[in-house]
Amino acid sequence: MPPAGTPAAVNGRLKVCGTKLCNRYGKPVQLRGMSTHGTQWYGRCVTPGSLDALAGDWRADVLRVSTYVQEGGYETDPRKYTDLVHSLVEQATARGMYVIVDWHMLHPGDPYHNLDRAKTFFTEIAQRHRARTNLLYEIANEPNGVTWSRVRSYAEELIPVIRAQDPHSPVLVGTRAWSSLGVSEGADESEVVADPVRAANIMYTFHFYAYSHRDAYLAVLSRAADRLPVFVTEFGTQNYAGEGGDDFAMAQRYLDLMAAKKISWVNWNFSDDHRTGAVFKTGTCAAGGPWTGTAPLKPAGVWVRDRIRTPDDFPTS
């Protein structure tokens, strides 16, 4: 169980209520936290010390555990990567954080390619952790190159598999065109509004990178959040590859909108990758820290840590 007084203990099991994510008292909440990078590459960045810093120094209330399916991840050693998720769920819970179990499918973009693997993975995760009150399941990171109806059909096949083990935890459904609610492939949220997933206690994911994804994307997020339960499970202040310069002004516009509409968010990423979107300076993880304060952080890390720590100090629209 999460320790008393921590976010996961205070708010308890979350549930979707209308277009919001609500705590056990039915009050809308906004989670703010970080996503790991792919654990096949950057597992050394997710340690007891770094998680202590994330929960204590950063005051994050959610950790997204990104398990890549391809790219040297889960499919190469399902036992290893499933056990790693078990461990990180337990460690985050011990620090009072919520955990998003992210099935990080990316290439190929059709989630059906990994349906059987997903059923195996989520069955075990949900069975092992069904009694926990701090889990959310993200079943398809960034579907791309496929129709919304195919993504919806995948969700409707996988969600009952999870529900058979864990009837209560929210499920986060990826949207098409790299979880852009369709906008990156010329559509928008209306296709989801018109043809939603036939399941309860679910949310739809939206990803953005502020340097690349500007007013049109912001408008889609704003409209969608009035009609659908939306969770921003990945964002950055850089371009869509998590590289290049930081556009903190555009990112702040997103954060203001998300604060005003109680949209939960997770930043990409809690590693020391060479890209500007990784919060730690290169070499930090190999050296085993330091993890706290701003000294080990790149500019994007300093910015997002400030906004996780002191959300009320920043304006809301």
Side-chain angles (χ1 to χ4, degrees):
M1 294 294 289
T6 60
V10 171
N11 288 291
R13 190 188 298 280
L14 304 176
K15 185 172 184 176
V16 180
C17 54
T19 60
K20 307 298 185 193
L21 184 62
C22 293
N23 66 12
R24 59 178 168 170
Y25 304 113
K27 179 184 176 184
V29 295
Q30 185 198 32
L31 303 184
R32 295 172 302 274
M34 293 299 302
S35 177
T36 72
H37 204 318
T39 51
Q40 78 275 34
W41 300 313
Y42 293 100
R44 67 182 183 275
C45 297
V46 194
T47 68
S50 73
L51 292 175
D52 283 346
L54 184 62
D57 180 49
W58 291 49
R59 302 175 201 159
D61 42 34
V62 59
L63 173 72
R64 181 186 189 232
V65 177
S66 292
T67 301
Y68 277 73
V69 189
Q70 275 72 47
E71 301 181 74
Y74 175 89
E75 69 174 2
T76 68
D77 191 340
R79 184 73 268 141
K80 173 183 175 180
Y81 289 105
T82 304
D83 286 344
L84 183 54
V85 174
H86 289 318
S87 173
L88 291 174
V89 167
E90 289 162 3
Q91 292 183 65
T93 302
R95 290 159 178 80
M97 290 187 286
Y98 289 94
V99 186
I100 298 170
V101 178
D102 164 35
W103 184 244
H104 207 84
M105 52 72 55
L106 186 61
H107 305 295
D110 183 352
Y112 267 101
H113 180 80
N114 290 302
L115 177 61
D116 288 343
R117 295 184 187 95
K119 287 180 175 179
T120 298
F121 173 77
F122 280 109
T123 294
E124 179 172 332
I125 296 296
Q127 190 171 39
R128 173 82 65 92
H129 302 289
R130 61 186 300 166
R132 298 191 191 278
T133 57
N134 63 317
L135 254 61
L136 304 94
Y137 303 103
E138 184 175 359
I139 61 174
N141 165 58
E142 288 187 349
N144 58 88
V146 294
T147 63
W148 166 245
S149 62
R150 187 157 177 83
V151 178
R152 179 185 54 75
S153 174
Y154 162 84
E156 289 176 356
E157 233 182 291
L158 184 55
I159 289 170
V161 173
I162 296 172
R163 292 280 182 250
Q165 307 299 328
D166 178 352
H168 303 299
S169 297
V171 173
L172 310 178
V173 178
T175 58
R176 83 170 173 106
W178 297 276
S179 284
S180 70
L181 287 163
V183 69
S184 286
E185 292 174 357
D188 62 25
E189 80 286 352
S190 60
E191 63 182 11
V192 182
V193 172
D195 192 16
V197 173
R198 290 167 292 200
N201 203 25
I202 65 165
M203 307 188 83
Y204 300 94
T205 69
F206 184 80
H207 294 176
F208 71 86
Y209 284 82
Y211 188 91
S212 297
H213 302 143
R214 307 190 68 78
D215 292 81
Y217 285 74
L218 184 65
V220 164
L221 175 59
S222 181
R223 292 196 309 264
D226 292 337
R227 304 289 300 277
L228 301 164
V230 177
F231 197 127
V232 173
T233 53
E234 190 177 312
F235 86 91
T237 54
Q238 313 76 32
N239 69 20
Y240 62 84
E243 299 174 335
D246 293 293
D247 190 337
F248 294 134
M250 187 69 203
Q252 188 64 52
R253 290 176 61 196
Y254 277 101
L255 259 63
D256 290 348
L257 173 73
M258 293 189 290
K261 299 200 176 191
K262 289 266 188 210
I263 301 169
S264 295
W265 55 257
V266 174
N267 180 259
W268 181 268
N269 69 76
F270 198 64
S271 86
D272 65 350
D273 177 13
H274 68 277
R275 297 171 181 86
T276 47
V279 296
F280 293 110
K281 294 174 182 173
T282 305
T284 300
C285 299
W291 304 113
T292 58
T294 57
L297 303 178
K298 295 174 188 168
V302 174
W303 186 88
V304 76
R305 173 181 173 273
D306 282 347
R307 279 145 184 82
I308 293 173
R309 278 170 60 89
T310 55
D312 297 331
D313 289 355
F314 296 93
T316 57
S317 55

